[in-house]
């Protein structure tokens, strides 16, 4: 019987058979690298203990290319799911991890992705407790797709809800917009700039925890502007709660190389995906204190207050331009940047 102990250099269909090759692939990679009391049981599920309210989120990652400046699909999968949990005001603790791998993926790339997942999970203080691996024929996938599900306990001071948002609330972002989307697109298009555009993929739950520790219920809402970008997220919120938003173009943090890439490709950075940015909606009374706290954190160095909720123009987002004019910011229609996460 064939065995991965032959030191296969590529993923084979047999690695997804559920037989010996599957077990050896998992033993040599997943079980060895992510070893913990939950996963070591080698069961189809895991029994975990979390007291009180929990947040759970699942996500799938199909980014192309799978390796990009600033990260890879594995790191992105961990950070993305952790951030979804954090936006609920919860601290992620456990992850599931499932792969759909195309036959022919170089084993070295698979192992690099696994190693990156492990490194990111350790940095985030979360454990991978269960998962699954499937292999499809050549041409039936695109190298590798990853699905992750996260579980975490809701912070004791979190009262995160769109219903808590009121007129006068301030809209704060923790850093530069559009870096992830433009890192992917510049790589796809072969664009070169004075300095490389690097994805902003990172985990934000520790910053969320610090904000909730200090400000509690005065933090009204967290959102992460991934696909569809900032414009789509804010349009959704405004529509859901029937309140207006005024954005200040001059306040929106945008790195100059990213702005240049957007201009070359004819893209509006407000609609470009982010993977390390969060929108924080706060009571106006704590605006400056929130900015001070965020700017002391490496993940919030470029934090900025960019807008305000208003009773004017309900359910609409209006941008005040640098020249003093105004324009409606609509949600994204269709797919601007496919396979971005």
């Amino acid at each position: 019987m064939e065995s991965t102990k032959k030191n296969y250099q590529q993923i084979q269909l047999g690695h997804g058979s559920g037989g010996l090759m599957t077990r050896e692939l998992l033993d040599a990679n997943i079980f060895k690298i992510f070893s913990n009391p939950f996963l070591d049981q080698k069961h189809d599920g895991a029994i975990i203990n979390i007291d009180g309210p929990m947040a759970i989120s699942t996500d799938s990652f199909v980014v192309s290319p799978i390796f990009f400046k600033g990260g890879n699909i594995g790191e992105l999968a961990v950070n993305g799911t952790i951030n979804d949990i954090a936006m609920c005001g919860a601290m992620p603790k456990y992850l599931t991890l499932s792969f759909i791998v195309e036959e022919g993926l170089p084993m070295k790339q698979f192992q690099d992705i696994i190693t990156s997942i492990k490194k990111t999970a350790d940095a985030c203080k979360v454990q991978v407790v269960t998962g699954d691996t499937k292999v499809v024929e050549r041409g039936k996938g695109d190298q590798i797709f990853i699905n992750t599900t996260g579980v975490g306990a809701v912070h004791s001071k979190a009262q995160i809800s769109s219903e808590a948002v009121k007129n006068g609330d301030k809209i704060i972002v923790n850093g530069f917009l559009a870096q992830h989307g433009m890192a992917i697109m510049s790589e796809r298009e072969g664009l070169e700039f004075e300095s490389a555009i690097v994805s902003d993929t990172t985990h934000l739950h520790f910053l969320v925890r610090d904000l909730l520790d200090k400000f509690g219920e005065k933090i009204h809402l967290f959102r992460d502007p991934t696909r569809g970008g900032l414009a789509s997220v804010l349009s959704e919120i405004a529509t859901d709660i029937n309140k207006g938003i005024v954005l200040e173009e001059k306040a929106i943090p945008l790195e100059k190389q990213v702005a240049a890439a957007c201009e070359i490709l004819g893209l509006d950075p407000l609609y470009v995906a982010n993977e390390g940015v969060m929108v924080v909606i706060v009571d106006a009374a704590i605006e400056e204190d929130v900015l001070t706290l965020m700017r002391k954190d490496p993940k919030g160095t470029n934090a900025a207050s960019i807008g305000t909720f208003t009773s004017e123009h309900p359910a609409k987002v209006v941008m005040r331009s640098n020249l003093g004019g105004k324009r409606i910011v609509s949600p994204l229609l269709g797919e601007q940047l496919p396979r971005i996460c």
Side-chain angles (χ1 to χ4, degrees):
M1 182 179 293
E2 287 191 327
S3 163
T4 53
K5 290 181 180 178
K6 288 185 177 181
N7 194 27
Y8 283 108
Q9 297 303 304
Q10 295 182 334
I11 295 292
Q12 306 292 314
L13 275 176
H15 288 126
S17 68
L20 180 61
M21 287 178 66
T22 300
R23 175 46 63 97
E24 290 181 351
L25 179 72
L26 298 180
D27 283 344
N29 293 284
I30 306 300
F31 293 132
K32 178 180 178 181
I33 291 174
F34 295 103
S35 177
N36 62 64
F38 303 98
L39 196 63
D40 291 347
Q41 296 179 45
K42 299 183 180 180
H43 196 276
D44 285 341
I47 299 173
I48 57 178
N49 293 307
I50 300 180
D51 296 328
M54 296 188 304
I56 183 168
S57 179
T58 191
D59 206 349
S60 297
F61 297 83
V62 299
V63 65
S64 178
I66 59 174
F67 292 89
F68 47 84
K69 292 182 178 66
N72 62 59
I73 190 171
E75 178 182 356
L76 184 67
V78 176
N79 285 334
T81 300
I82 280 175
N83 289 342
D84 285 344
I85 294 294
M87 296 305 99
C88 299
M91 296 300 102
K93 189 171 183 180
Y94 302 111
L95 284 178
T96 70
L97 177 63
S98 293
F99 300 101
I100 298 175
V101 189
E102 185 181 16
E103 178 188 18
L105 177 74
M107 191 67 71
K108 175 64 164 56
Q109 290 191 14
F110 182 68
Q111 291 168 344
D112 287 346
I113 289 168
I114 293 291
T115 300
S116 179
I117 291 172
K118 172 62 172 173
K119 180 179 179 181
T120 307
D122 285 349
C124 295
K125 298 182 180 179
V126 300
Q127 289 182 300
V128 174
V129 296
T130 190
D132 185 43
T133 301
K134 296 291 192 299
V135 178
V136 298
E137 303 95 330
R138 293 175 189 266
K140 300 296 185 180
D142 191 355
Q143 297 184 284
I144 185 171
F145 300 147
I146 300 176
N147 173 271
T148 49
T149 297
V151 179
V154 176
H155 192 287
S156 61
K157 292 185 178 180
Q159 295 187 31
I160 306 302
S161 169
S162 58
E163 296 177 356
V165 178
K166 63 183 186 298
N167 292 329
D169 278 2
K170 298 299 181 179
I171 302 166
I172 294 173
V173 294
N174 63 304
F176 292 133
L177 297 180
Q179 288 187 232
H180 176 72
M182 296 320 301
I184 299 295
M185 287 304 295
S186 61
E187 195 152 338
R188 286 183 193 169
E189 301 297 328
L191 300 177
E192 295 184 1
F193 298 91
E194 292 179 8
S195 61
I197 298 176
V198 177
S199 170
D200 64 342
T201 177
T202 193
H203 46 276
L204 299 169
H205 58 306
F206 295 131
L207 180 54
V208 166
R209 176 199 61 196
D210 292 345
L211 288 168
L212 290 172
D213 281 347
K214 184 166 184 179
F215 302 110
E217 64 183 15
K218 291 186 178 180
I219 303 288
H220 295 157
L221 198 64
F222 293 112
R223 290 290 296 274
D224 55 339
T226 51
R227 287 180 299 168
L230 179 69
S232 295
V233 161
L234 293 182
S235 294
E236 289 172 5
I237 296 170
T239 300
D240 288 345
I241 64 175
N242 198 35
K243 287 181 170 55
I245 292 175
V246 176
L247 290 181
E248 303 292 343
E249 184 177 21
K250 64 183 179 181
I252 294 175
L254 190 63
E255 199 272 331
K256 66 177 183 179
Q257 296 290 350
V258 171
C262 287
E263 186 173 353
I264 289 171
L265 294 173
L267 300 173
D268 186 335
L270 292 182
Y271 296 92
V272 176
N274 309 275
E275 290 292 345
V277 173
M278 64 176 173
V279 175
V280 189
I281 298 172
V282 307
D283 188 294
I286 63 169
E287 176 187 20
E288 291 302 322
D289 290 335
V290 168
L291 287 170
T292 297
L293 186 153
M294 293 175 77
R295 288 168 180 165
K296 290 179 180 178
D297 189 291
K299 300 182 190 304
T301 305
N302 297 297
S305 182
I306 63 170
T308 307
F309 280 85
T310 177
S311 59
E312 300 176 14
H313 49 77
K316 290 184 173 60
V317 181
V318 173
M319 170 87 82
R320 282 199 200 123
S321 73
N322 293 331
L323 299 177
K326 295 180 179 181
R327 69 177 175 93
I328 298 292
V329 177
S330 304
L332 178 65
L333 298 175
E335 184 72 82
Q336 185 185 44
L337 302 175
R339 304 286 301 279
I340 210 74
C341 61

